């Protein structure tokens, strides 16, 4: 099992953690919500919890709770700029469908 992040995502995370003055990486998970069933949740993490599964890429830790890992296995986290918008993009090979508004997905 693995979760990765692109160099662009790692740069963004490192810049934000430096700006905050603390942090060990990002915590990635899923929650039940939306019209398709699941939504990604992403937050900056200040510490590694004992139950976290830890992946690392480009000197950035990705922390995942064990319940979310089966839904996220193989996911690549990217940071993209599209016109005036920028944000994280999830490339998840397990995604079977996404709702019209893009807020939720199903596997």
């Amino acid at each position: 099992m693995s979760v990765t992040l692109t160099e662009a995502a790692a740069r963004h995370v490192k810049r934000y953690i430096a700006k905050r003055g603390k942090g060990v990486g990002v915590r990635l998970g899923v929650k039940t919500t939306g019209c398709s069933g699941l939504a990604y949740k992403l937050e900056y993490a200040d510490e590694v919890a004992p139950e976290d599964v830890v992946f690392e890429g480009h000197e950035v830790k990705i922390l995942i709770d064990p319940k979310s890992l089966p839904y996220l296995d193989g996911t690549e986290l990217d940071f993209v700029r599209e016109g005036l918008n920028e944000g994280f993009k999830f490339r998840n090979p397990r995604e079977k469908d996404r709702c019209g508004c893009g807020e939720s997905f199903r596997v």
Side-chain angles (χ1 to χ4, degrees):
M1 297 202 153
S2 73
V3 175
T4 59
L5 75 164
T6 65
E7 203 170 317
R11 268 194 316 270
H12 181 77
V13 169
K14 286 192 256 187
R15 268 195 309 255
Y16 190 79
I17 287 174
K19 192 174 176 181
R20 285 178 78 220
K22 63 180 179 175
V24 296
V26 291
R27 185 175 308 282
L28 176 59
V30 295
K31 61 183 176 179
T32 305
T33 188
C35 43
S36 292
L38 297 169
Y40 296 107
K41 59 181 183 176
L42 179 70
E43 61 189 14
Y44 289 91
D46 292 331
E47 59 187 43
V48 178
E51 68 275 7
D52 284 336
V53 179
V54 181
F55 299 98
E56 190 164 341
H58 305 287
E59 302 173 358
V60 172
K61 284 182 173 56
I62 307 166
L63 314 173
I64 301 177
D65 70 271
K67 291 180 183 176
S68 294
L69 189 54
Y71 301 105
L72 297 171
D73 184 32
T75 297
E76 179 185 61
L77 181 61
D78 195 6
F79 189 79
V80 296
R81 287 189 173 91
E82 296 170 347
L84 297 175
N85 298 317
E86 64 180 22
F88 287 103
K89 184 171 190 164
F90 303 91
R91 294 189 184 107
N92 185 345
R94 298 186 178 279
E95 254 186 50
K96 301 289 187 241
D97 194 21
R98 190 174 268 268
C99 73
C101 66
E103 291 296 316
S104 62
F105 68 98
R106 73 180 172 83
V107 291

